[in-house]
Structure formats: structure tokens, C-alpha cells
Amino acid sequence: MPRFQSKKLEKEVVLRDPVHEYIHIEDKVILDVLKTKEFQRMRRIKQLGPISYVFPGATHTRFEHNLGVYELTRRICNIFDKKYRSQSPGDGLWNPDNRLLVECAGLLHDVGHGPYSHTFEHLFGTNHEKLGQKIITDPNTEINHALKQVAPNFPELVASVIAKTYPDPQVVKMISSQADADRMDYLERDAYFTGVTYGEFDLSQILREIRPFSGGICFTSDGMHAVEDYIVARYQMYQQVYFHRVGRSMEVILRHLLKRAKLVYKEGQLEVTPSLAKFLDDNWTLDDYLKLDDGVMESNFSMWTNSADPILADLSVRYLYRKPFASVKINKETQNLLPKLRNLIKQAGFDPEYYTDTNSAFDEPYDAYKPTGKNANSQIEIMQDDGNLIELSQLSPLIRALNGTMQGDERFFFPKIMLSNDDEPQIFDPLYQEFQKYVKNGELRYIRRPKKTEK
């Protein structure tokens, strides 16, 4: 008998999904978790946040992403049960006792995300992974009650998988590694809803060639090119979608908007909903966090468009009605120009603290595959016919070419009016013209002064 067993549903529940076609639910605990208010809350948290300002279809939520990760986890468990079930202790094969545990972890891996997750975390000191574990283990949540129907300690074990402390690396790496169910789902799902093809890869071939080993998850040699395809798809999605300059601009505006709101609130001049007020007071509970979603935040932004504080009102309008900042690429040399440009922007009537910023797309935590070196991620192993494991970039010239390269750019963001070329004379035209001398082909440049000639 499996270590953890859930009552089976009398009739399997099948959900239609545009990415995986069908999501199959056979265990009562999965359906019970799905129905909880904490899980349903994720319907109101967009997966890609401000990216929908660039790709209008990208309004999908963390709700369907978590379901997709569950479905891929379920399929991998089916493959392992059929082809790689452990025959004796220590043989490095799959222990079917872990099936329900990893499926629940896949379903709940992102349950701690809040609205505009990474921006919100930076400003209010939250951590979605720790909050997710708290939601699972807190005895007052519906998710905790549902999981305890399996076993009294089951919530803690599910949380340990998400925290990467569960002792079986096969279970942890199925949902948290360089080639896991989480990444496979979000690449295909984000590509589908953004309408691009960059994130598409041969998922069926990857699932055919995935297999367990004593240290985690690997792929057979026949699957190497499918894994290459996956890595390249991931690289392209980051360059073309996740790092899109307009999406990053809207993130900058959002960050400055919330920063300004904190300041105005401390001065006692901000109208705000009670749930967000708890965070501005730095006196919030888990229940307060669970009341936040995209709709709550946008309701506050809407109120703030009428704020007496002109900066807060303007930033709220810019965010709600898609009025992004302009941006130019910068490098180590042209960074020295930024104080001068910020001064020109200040003279044009904009507070540089809120209307300028730099943003780097280098070395993101989910960047292109990095098996070695600074900020290295876990390796992808390819199992040879004799059972030996070789790290992917040692076999693939394509991945080796990507490994260790610096991908992305650093940009300077500022009000778009600084690039204005209106025919009608404007009071700040001399400032705009001076600013524009330093911009060429979307990059900052030094002005090369002509050398003085001797008479």
C-alpha cells in the first residue's frame, strides 16, 4: 500500500486546457485542494503581470499554470510508474509511494504568489515561496484541512518539497530544477497566451526520454536534442517576451507608483483599501495577504488617479492606461552620462527619483541555462547507454555556445516627452534637444566634440 493514499473519485474529473488539452483529476484530495478559497484566489493573480500591456492575450493566471504543472507532474509519475518503478532499495529508480506527494506539490508550488509578485515582494518584504509554505502548513487554511485528510503530517511534507528540503531529490527536482514541470508548463503556456512561437518545444519527446536516477531527474541520450530545443525556447522567451523593454518600463512605473504610495500614506494623505493599508502599515497577517489580488491593487490605483499628490496621480494614470516610459540601452561607459540626463529631466519638471530608473535584464534567476560559474543553476544530465551521466553542455555545442554568455541589456528609463520633436514650439524644447543629442539608435552615446585645430 502506498505511504500516502487519497480516496479515489468515483468518476475522474477532466478539465479542458488550451495547452495540455486535458487535465485529469482522479484523487479526491486534488479536487478538494482545487476547491479551496486559497487556490481559487489564484484566478485573480495574472501569471505575467504587466506583460499583458505588451502582449494583450497574456491575461492568463497562476490558477491555470498551477493546474498545468500538476498535469505534467501527473504524466511524469505515470511514465516513471510504468518504466522506472523501483525494484529494490537503493536502485535509484522511482518510488511510487511519492506520487501523491509530488502531485500535490506541483499543484501548490505557486500558491504563495501575490499580485505583481516580484515588485510587491521587493517593496513590502514578502517572499512568495515562504508564504506558500505557510499557506500549506497553517492549520487555519482550507488547503491545510484538505491535505490533512491524507495524513496529519502531509501538509508539512508537501511544503518541504516546495522548500527543497524533502530528502528524495527525484521528488524535489520534478517541480524545481532546470528542466522541471514548472518551467515546461510556463514556457508553453506563456507562449500560447502571448501569441508567440518562441516558447514552443517538443514536450512529447522530452516526456518520452525523461527518467529518474539516484540524484534526481535526467534524460536519455535520445532526448538530448529535445532538451536543446527546450533550452533555446527558454532563451528566446526571455529575450523576446519576459525582457521586453515596454514590459520592463511598466514594471518600473509600478515600482515607483507603490514607492510613492508608501510615502504619501505615511504623511496621512492617501485613500486606500483596508487590506492594502495593512501592508503600508507593515502590520499584516497571512489572512491579510490572502485578501490581496490584482483587482484589489487596481482598485487602489484607480482611486489614486484622483490623488492630491500629483506624482502619485500621474504614475497611477500611466500604469492603468498604459503610458510607458521611453528607454535607451546603456553600458559601463555611458552610465557616466546618467547624472547629466537626470538633471535635464529634473529641469523639464520631472522628479528623477520617480521618473527615471535603470533596469538590467542580465543574470536573472531563471535566465538561460548555467550549469557552472557564478549564479550557476542545477545541471541537466544526459544518461548514456552505459548508465553514465554527462552534463548537457559537454555534449551539445549549441548549449555550450549559450553557456556563460551575457544575454540581455541594461536600460535607462525616462519620460517619453524627452524625445519629443513636436512642430509646435514648446517651452522645454532646448532641454529636449540637449537630451536627444545623447541618444542614437536606441542607445546612449557620448557626443564627440570636434578637435580644436591650431591656427
Side-chain angles (χ1 to χ4, degrees), residues 297-322:
M297 299 301 292
E298 289 170 4
S299 293
N300 282 281
F301 300 163
S302 183
M303 287 193 297
W304 299 344
T305 60
N306 297 314
S307 171
D309 181 84
I311 293 177
L312 179 61
D314 181 61
L315 291 174
S316 298
V317 168
R318 287 175 184 268
Y319 187 78
L320 281 180
Y321 303 113
R322 195 193 182 277

PDB file of all heavy atoms in Angstrom, residues 297-322:
ATOM      1  N   MET A 297      -5.484  45.672  -6.040  1.00  0.00           N
ATOM      2  CA  MET A 297      -4.439  46.644  -6.341  1.00  0.00           C
ATOM      3  C   MET A 297      -4.922  47.660  -7.371  1.00  0.00           C
ATOM      4  O   MET A 297      -4.707  48.870  -7.225  1.00  0.00           O
ATOM      5  CB  MET A 297      -3.189  45.923  -6.839  1.00  0.00           C
ATOM      6  CG  MET A 297      -2.580  44.948  -5.847  1.00  0.00           C
ATOM      7  SD  MET A 297      -2.085  45.697  -4.278  1.00  0.00           S
ATOM      8  CE  MET A 297      -0.727  46.727  -4.811  1.00  0.00           C
ATOM      9  N   GLU A 298      -5.583  47.191  -8.401  1.00  0.00           N
ATOM     10  CA  GLU A 298      -6.031  48.105  -9.456  1.00  0.00           C
ATOM     11  C   GLU A 298      -7.143  49.030  -8.962  1.00  0.00           C
ATOM     12  O   GLU A 298      -7.263  50.167  -9.443  1.00  0.00           O
ATOM     13  CB  GLU A 298      -6.465  47.306 -10.675  1.00  0.00           C
ATOM     14  CG  GLU A 298      -5.270  46.678 -11.389  1.00  0.00           C
ATOM     15  CD  GLU A 298      -5.662  45.677 -12.464  1.00  0.00           C
ATOM     16  OE1 GLU A 298      -6.872  45.516 -12.714  1.00  0.00           O
ATOM     17  OE2 GLU A 298      -4.756  45.060 -13.051  1.00  0.00           O
ATOM     18  N   SER A 299      -7.938  48.575  -7.996  1.00  0.00           N
ATOM     19  CA  SER A 299      -8.940  49.459  -7.394  1.00  0.00           C
ATOM     20  C   SER A 299      -8.263  50.622  -6.670  1.00  0.00           C
ATOM     21  O   SER A 299      -8.707  51.776  -6.739  1.00  0.00           O
ATOM     22  CB  SER A 299      -9.820  48.681  -6.414  1.00  0.00           C
ATOM     23  OG  SER A 299     -10.608  47.731  -7.092  1.00  0.00           O
ATOM     24  N   ASN A 300      -7.175  50.328  -5.987  1.00  0.00           N
ATOM     25  CA  ASN A 300      -6.417  51.393  -5.327  1.00  0.00           C
ATOM     26  C   ASN A 300      -5.789  52.333  -6.346  1.00  0.00           C
ATOM     27  O   ASN A 300      -5.841  53.556  -6.182  1.00  0.00           O
ATOM     28  CB  ASN A 300      -5.339  50.790  -4.421  1.00  0.00           C
ATOM     29  CG  ASN A 300      -5.891  50.274  -3.106  1.00  0.00           C
ATOM     30  OD1 ASN A 300      -6.155  51.046  -2.190  1.00  0.00           O
ATOM     31  ND2 ASN A 300      -6.090  48.969  -3.022  1.00  0.00           N
ATOM     32  N   PHE A 301      -5.216  51.766  -7.398  1.00  0.00           N
ATOM     33  CA  PHE A 301      -4.613  52.622  -8.426  1.00  0.00           C
ATOM     34  C   PHE A 301      -5.659  53.561  -9.021  1.00  0.00           C
ATOM     35  O   PHE A 301      -5.380  54.721  -9.305  1.00  0.00           O
ATOM     36  CB  PHE A 301      -3.994  51.780  -9.532  1.00  0.00           C
ATOM     37  CG  PHE A 301      -2.902  50.841  -9.091  1.00  0.00           C
ATOM     38  CD1 PHE A 301      -2.503  49.793  -9.899  1.00  0.00           C
ATOM     39  CD2 PHE A 301      -2.275  51.012  -7.863  1.00  0.00           C
ATOM     40  CE1 PHE A 301      -1.500  48.929  -9.497  1.00  0.00           C
ATOM     41  CE2 PHE A 301      -1.272  50.149  -7.440  1.00  0.00           C
ATOM     42  CZ  PHE A 301      -0.884  49.095  -8.266  1.00  0.00           C
ATOM     43  N   SER A 302      -6.863  53.040  -9.229  1.00  0.00           N
ATOM     44  CA  SER A 302      -7.937  53.856  -9.792  1.00  0.00           C
ATOM     45  C   SER A 302      -8.283  55.020  -8.866  1.00  0.00           C
ATOM     46  O   SER A 302      -8.480  56.155  -9.320  1.00  0.00           O
ATOM     47  CB  SER A 302      -9.169  52.992 -10.052  1.00  0.00           C
ATOM     48  OG  SER A 302     -10.199  53.743 -10.648  1.00  0.00           O
ATOM     49  N   MET A 303      -8.348  54.748  -7.564  1.00  0.00           N
ATOM     50  CA  MET A 303      -8.602  55.827  -6.600  1.00  0.00           C
ATOM     51  C   MET A 303      -7.488  56.861  -6.642  1.00  0.00           C
ATOM     52  O   MET A 303      -7.730  58.060  -6.581  1.00  0.00           O
ATOM     53  CB  MET A 303      -8.717  55.251  -5.181  1.00  0.00           C
ATOM     54  CG  MET A 303      -9.992  54.496  -4.895  1.00  0.00           C
ATOM     55  SD  MET A 303     -10.209  54.178  -3.113  1.00  0.00           S
ATOM     56  CE  MET A 303      -8.799  53.130  -2.756  1.00  0.00           C
ATOM     57  N   TRP A 304      -6.266  56.385  -6.779  1.00  0.00           N
ATOM     58  CA  TRP A 304      -5.114  57.277  -6.697  1.00  0.00           C
ATOM     59  C   TRP A 304      -4.968  58.169  -7.931  1.00  0.00           C
ATOM     60  O   TRP A 304      -4.207  59.130  -7.896  1.00  0.00           O
ATOM     61  CB  TRP A 304      -3.845  56.475  -6.477  1.00  0.00           C
ATOM     62  CG  TRP A 304      -3.867  55.692  -5.194  1.00  0.00           C
ATOM     63  CD1 TRP A 304      -4.705  55.868  -4.128  1.00  0.00           C
ATOM     64  CD2 TRP A 304      -3.020  54.592  -4.858  1.00  0.00           C
ATOM     65  NE1 TRP A 304      -4.439  54.947  -3.144  1.00  0.00           N
ATOM     66  CE2 TRP A 304      -3.405  54.146  -3.565  1.00  0.00           C
ATOM     67  CE3 TRP A 304      -1.975  53.928  -5.497  1.00  0.00           C
ATOM     68  CZ2 TRP A 304      -2.775  53.087  -2.919  1.00  0.00           C
ATOM     69  CZ3 TRP A 304      -1.347  52.876  -4.861  1.00  0.00           C
ATOM     70  CH2 TRP A 304      -1.743  52.453  -3.588  1.00  0.00           C
ATOM     71  N   THR A 305      -5.671  57.866  -9.007  1.00  0.00           N
ATOM     72  CA  THR A 305      -5.610  58.771 -10.160  1.00  0.00           C
ATOM     73  C   THR A 305      -6.170  60.143  -9.809  1.00  0.00           C
ATOM     74  O   THR A 305      -5.884  61.125 -10.500  1.00  0.00           O
ATOM     75  CB  THR A 305      -6.390  58.204 -11.368  1.00  0.00           C
ATOM     76  OG1 THR A 305      -7.759  58.033 -11.017  1.00  0.00           O
ATOM     77  CG2 THR A 305      -5.790  56.893 -11.847  1.00  0.00           C
ATOM     78  N   ASN A 306      -6.960  60.224  -8.728  1.00  0.00           N
ATOM     79  CA  ASN A 306      -7.510  61.498  -8.266  1.00  0.00           C
ATOM     80  C   ASN A 306      -6.804  62.008  -7.017  1.00  0.00           C
ATOM     81  O   ASN A 306      -7.317  62.885  -6.323  1.00  0.00           O
ATOM     82  CB  ASN A 306      -9.001  61.351  -7.976  1.00  0.00           C
ATOM     83  CG  ASN A 306      -9.800  61.003  -9.221  1.00  0.00           C
ATOM     84  OD1 ASN A 306      -9.603  61.603 -10.273  1.00  0.00           O
ATOM     85  ND2 ASN A 306     -10.690  60.024  -9.107  1.00  0.00           N
ATOM     86  N   SER A 307      -5.641  61.456  -6.733  1.00  0.00           N
ATOM     87  CA  SER A 307      -4.908  61.849  -5.529  1.00  0.00           C
ATOM     88  C   SER A 307      -4.492  63.318  -5.595  1.00  0.00           C
ATOM     89  O   SER A 307      -4.197  63.859  -6.666  1.00  0.00           O
ATOM     90  CB  SER A 307      -3.665  60.968  -5.370  1.00  0.00           C
ATOM     91  OG  SER A 307      -2.833  61.457  -4.329  1.00  0.00           O
ATOM     92  N   ALA A 308      -4.426  63.954  -4.429  1.00  0.00           N
ATOM     93  CA  ALA A 308      -3.931  65.332  -4.357  1.00  0.00           C
ATOM     94  C   ALA A 308      -2.432  65.393  -4.609  1.00  0.00           C
ATOM     95  O   ALA A 308      -1.903  66.469  -4.914  1.00  0.00           O
ATOM     96  CB  ALA A 308      -4.259  65.929  -2.985  1.00  0.00           C
ATOM     97  N   ASP A 309      -1.760  64.255  -4.481  1.00  0.00           N
ATOM     98  CA  ASP A 309      -0.329  64.212  -4.763  1.00  0.00           C
ATOM     99  C   ASP A 309      -0.136  64.063  -6.279  1.00  0.00           C
ATOM    100  O   ASP A 309      -0.515  63.032  -6.850  1.00  0.00           O
ATOM    101  CB  ASP A 309       0.324  63.038  -4.036  1.00  0.00           C
ATOM    102  CG  ASP A 309       1.812  62.976  -4.280  1.00  0.00           C
ATOM    103  OD1 ASP A 309       2.558  63.680  -3.576  1.00  0.00           O
ATOM    104  OD2 ASP A 309       2.234  62.244  -5.201  1.00  0.00           O
ATOM    105  N   PRO A 310       0.432  65.031  -6.957  1.00  0.00           N
ATOM    106  CA  PRO A 310       0.497  64.982  -8.418  1.00  0.00           C
ATOM    107  C   PRO A 310       1.351  63.849  -8.968  1.00  0.00           C
ATOM    108  O   PRO A 310       1.036  63.303 -10.032  1.00  0.00           O
ATOM    109  CB  PRO A 310       1.083  66.351  -8.798  1.00  0.00           C
ATOM    110  CG  PRO A 310       1.776  66.837  -7.557  1.00  0.00           C
ATOM    111  CD  PRO A 310       1.006  66.277  -6.408  1.00  0.00           C
ATOM    112  N   ILE A 311       2.404  63.488  -8.269  1.00  0.00           N
ATOM    113  CA  ILE A 311       3.259  62.402  -8.749  1.00  0.00           C
ATOM    114  C   ILE A 311       2.510  61.072  -8.665  1.00  0.00           C
ATOM    115  O   ILE A 311       2.506  60.288  -9.625  1.00  0.00           O
ATOM    116  CB  ILE A 311       4.575  62.342  -7.954  1.00  0.00           C
ATOM    117  CG1 ILE A 311       5.428  63.584  -8.242  1.00  0.00           C
ATOM    118  CG2 ILE A 311       5.365  61.069  -8.292  1.00  0.00           C
ATOM    119  CD1 ILE A 311       6.724  63.656  -7.453  1.00  0.00           C
ATOM    120  N   LEU A 312       1.871  60.813  -7.527  1.00  0.00           N
ATOM    121  CA  LEU A 312       1.122  59.570  -7.376  1.00  0.00           C
ATOM    122  C   LEU A 312      -0.014  59.493  -8.393  1.00  0.00           C
ATOM    123  O   LEU A 312      -0.241  58.444  -9.012  1.00  0.00           O
ATOM    124  CB  LEU A 312       0.559  59.460  -5.953  1.00  0.00           C
ATOM    125  CG  LEU A 312      -0.269  58.204  -5.663  1.00  0.00           C
ATOM    126  CD1 LEU A 312       0.561  56.949  -5.853  1.00  0.00           C
ATOM    127  CD2 LEU A 312      -0.845  58.260  -4.248  1.00  0.00           C
ATOM    128  N   ALA A 313      -0.728  60.592  -8.573  1.00  0.00           N
ATOM    129  CA  ALA A 313      -1.833  60.597  -9.539  1.00  0.00           C
ATOM    130  C   ALA A 313      -1.322  60.321 -10.952  1.00  0.00           C
ATOM    131  O   ALA A 313      -1.914  59.526 -11.694  1.00  0.00           O
ATOM    132  CB  ALA A 313      -2.552  61.941  -9.489  1.00  0.00           C
ATOM    133  N   ASP A 314      -0.219  60.958 -11.316  1.00  0.00           N
ATOM    134  CA  ASP A 314       0.318  60.780 -12.664  1.00  0.00           C
ATOM    135  C   ASP A 314       0.815  59.358 -12.885  1.00  0.00           C
ATOM    136  O   ASP A 314       0.541  58.745 -13.930  1.00  0.00           O
ATOM    137  CB  ASP A 314       1.451  61.777 -12.902  1.00  0.00           C
ATOM    138  CG  ASP A 314       2.037  61.661 -14.298  1.00  0.00           C
ATOM    139  OD1 ASP A 314       1.290  61.868 -15.276  1.00  0.00           O
ATOM    140  OD2 ASP A 314       3.231  61.327 -14.412  1.00  0.00           O
ATOM    141  N   LEU A 315       1.538  58.807 -11.913  1.00  0.00           N
ATOM    142  CA  LEU A 315       2.049  57.438 -12.068  1.00  0.00           C
ATOM    143  C   LEU A 315       0.894  56.436 -12.135  1.00  0.00           C
ATOM    144  O   LEU A 315       0.973  55.442 -12.867  1.00  0.00           O
ATOM    145  CB  LEU A 315       2.989  57.095 -10.918  1.00  0.00           C
ATOM    146  CG  LEU A 315       4.330  57.851 -10.900  1.00  0.00           C
ATOM    147  CD1 LEU A 315       5.104  57.528  -9.630  1.00  0.00           C
ATOM    148  CD2 LEU A 315       5.166  57.514 -12.127  1.00  0.00           C
ATOM    149  N   SER A 316      -0.169  56.680 -11.388  1.00  0.00           N
ATOM    150  CA  SER A 316      -1.336  55.789 -11.432  1.00  0.00           C
ATOM    151  C   SER A 316      -1.973  55.813 -12.814  1.00  0.00           C
ATOM    152  O   SER A 316      -2.352  54.763 -13.355  1.00  0.00           O
ATOM    153  CB  SER A 316      -2.359  56.214 -10.374  1.00  0.00           C
ATOM    154  OG  SER A 316      -1.825  56.111  -9.075  1.00  0.00           O
ATOM    155  N   VAL A 317      -2.107  57.006 -13.383  1.00  0.00           N
ATOM    156  CA  VAL A 317      -2.648  57.121 -14.737  1.00  0.00           C
ATOM    157  C   VAL A 317      -1.740  56.409 -15.732  1.00  0.00           C
ATOM    158  O   VAL A 317      -2.209  55.677 -16.615  1.00  0.00           O
ATOM    159  CB  VAL A 317      -2.823  58.610 -15.121  1.00  0.00           C
ATOM    160  CG1 VAL A 317      -3.092  58.750 -16.620  1.00  0.00           C
ATOM    161  CG2 VAL A 317      -3.961  59.225 -14.326  1.00  0.00           C
ATOM    162  N   ARG A 318      -0.452  56.609 -15.607  1.00  0.00           N
ATOM    163  CA  ARG A 318       0.492  55.976 -16.531  1.00  0.00           C
ATOM    164  C   ARG A 318       0.376  54.451 -16.483  1.00  0.00           C
ATOM    165  O   ARG A 318       0.432  53.780 -17.513  1.00  0.00           O
ATOM    166  CB  ARG A 318       1.926  56.398 -16.209  1.00  0.00           C
ATOM    167  CG  ARG A 318       2.258  57.834 -16.601  1.00  0.00           C
ATOM    168  CD  ARG A 318       3.672  58.221 -16.141  1.00  0.00           C
ATOM    169  NE  ARG A 318       3.962  59.610 -16.435  1.00  0.00           N
ATOM    170  CZ  ARG A 318       4.543  60.054 -17.553  1.00  0.00           C
ATOM    171  NH1 ARG A 318       4.899  59.181 -18.487  1.00  0.00           N
ATOM    172  NH2 ARG A 318       4.778  61.334 -17.739  1.00  0.00           N
ATOM    173  N   TYR A 319       0.222  53.915 -15.268  1.00  0.00           N
ATOM    174  CA  TYR A 319       0.153  52.453 -15.167  1.00  0.00           C
ATOM    175  C   TYR A 319      -1.190  51.919 -15.665  1.00  0.00           C
ATOM    176  O   TYR A 319      -1.235  50.969 -16.446  1.00  0.00           O
ATOM    177  CB  TYR A 319       0.391  51.984 -13.725  1.00  0.00           C
ATOM    178  CG  TYR A 319       0.495  50.471 -13.674  1.00  0.00           C
ATOM    179  CD1 TYR A 319       1.663  49.834 -14.057  1.00  0.00           C
ATOM    180  CD2 TYR A 319      -0.590  49.686 -13.307  1.00  0.00           C
ATOM    181  CE1 TYR A 319       1.758  48.457 -14.067  1.00  0.00           C
ATOM    182  CE2 TYR A 319      -0.508  48.308 -13.315  1.00  0.00           C
ATOM    183  CZ  TYR A 319       0.674  47.694 -13.696  1.00  0.00           C
ATOM    184  OH  TYR A 319       0.749  46.334 -13.726  1.00  0.00           O
ATOM    185  N   LEU A 320      -2.277  52.504 -15.211  1.00  0.00           N
ATOM    186  CA  LEU A 320      -3.602  51.978 -15.570  1.00  0.00           C
ATOM    187  C   LEU A 320      -3.900  52.122 -17.060  1.00  0.00           C
ATOM    188  O   LEU A 320      -4.577  51.276 -17.648  1.00  0.00           O
ATOM    189  CB  LEU A 320      -4.686  52.685 -14.768  1.00  0.00           C
ATOM    190  CG  LEU A 320      -4.896  52.240 -13.320  1.00  0.00           C
ATOM    191  CD1 LEU A 320      -6.013  53.053 -12.686  1.00  0.00           C
ATOM    192  CD2 LEU A 320      -5.208  50.755 -13.228  1.00  0.00           C
ATOM    193  N   TYR A 321      -3.398  53.190 -17.668  1.00  0.00           N
ATOM    194  CA  TYR A 321      -3.769  53.484 -19.048  1.00  0.00           C
ATOM    195  C   TYR A 321      -2.606  53.326 -20.028  1.00  0.00           C
ATOM    196  O   TYR A 321      -2.601  53.913 -21.095  1.00  0.00           O
ATOM    197  CB  TYR A 321      -4.390  54.882 -19.127  1.00  0.00           C
ATOM    198  CG  TYR A 321      -5.588  55.003 -18.220  1.00  0.00           C
ATOM    199  CD1 TYR A 321      -5.580  55.838 -17.114  1.00  0.00           C
ATOM    200  CD2 TYR A 321      -6.731  54.229 -18.443  1.00  0.00           C
ATOM    201  CE1 TYR A 321      -6.674  55.921 -16.270  1.00  0.00           C
ATOM    202  CE2 TYR A 321      -7.821  54.305 -17.604  1.00  0.00           C
ATOM    203  CZ  TYR A 321      -7.792  55.147 -16.522  1.00  0.00           C
ATOM    204  OH  TYR A 321      -8.879  55.218 -15.677  1.00  0.00           O
ATOM    205  N   ARG A 322      -1.659  52.514 -19.640  1.00  0.00           N
ATOM    206  CA  ARG A 322      -0.525  52.129 -20.492  1.00  0.00           C
ATOM    207  C   ARG A 322       0.163  53.331 -21.145  1.00  0.00           C
ATOM    208  O   ARG A 322       0.102  53.554 -22.345  1.00  0.00           O
ATOM    209  CB  ARG A 322      -0.966  51.147 -21.583  1.00  0.00           C
ATOM    210  CG  ARG A 322       0.199  50.435 -22.272  1.00  0.00           C
ATOM    211  CD  ARG A 322      -0.192  49.722 -23.539  1.00  0.00           C
ATOM    212  NE  ARG A 322       0.922  49.009 -24.139  1.00  0.00           N
ATOM    213  CZ  ARG A 322       1.841  49.571 -24.923  1.00  0.00           C
ATOM    214  NH1 ARG A 322       1.791  50.862 -25.180  1.00  0.00           N
ATOM    215  NH2 ARG A 322       2.826  48.846 -25.437  1.00  0.00           N
TER     216      ARG A 322
END
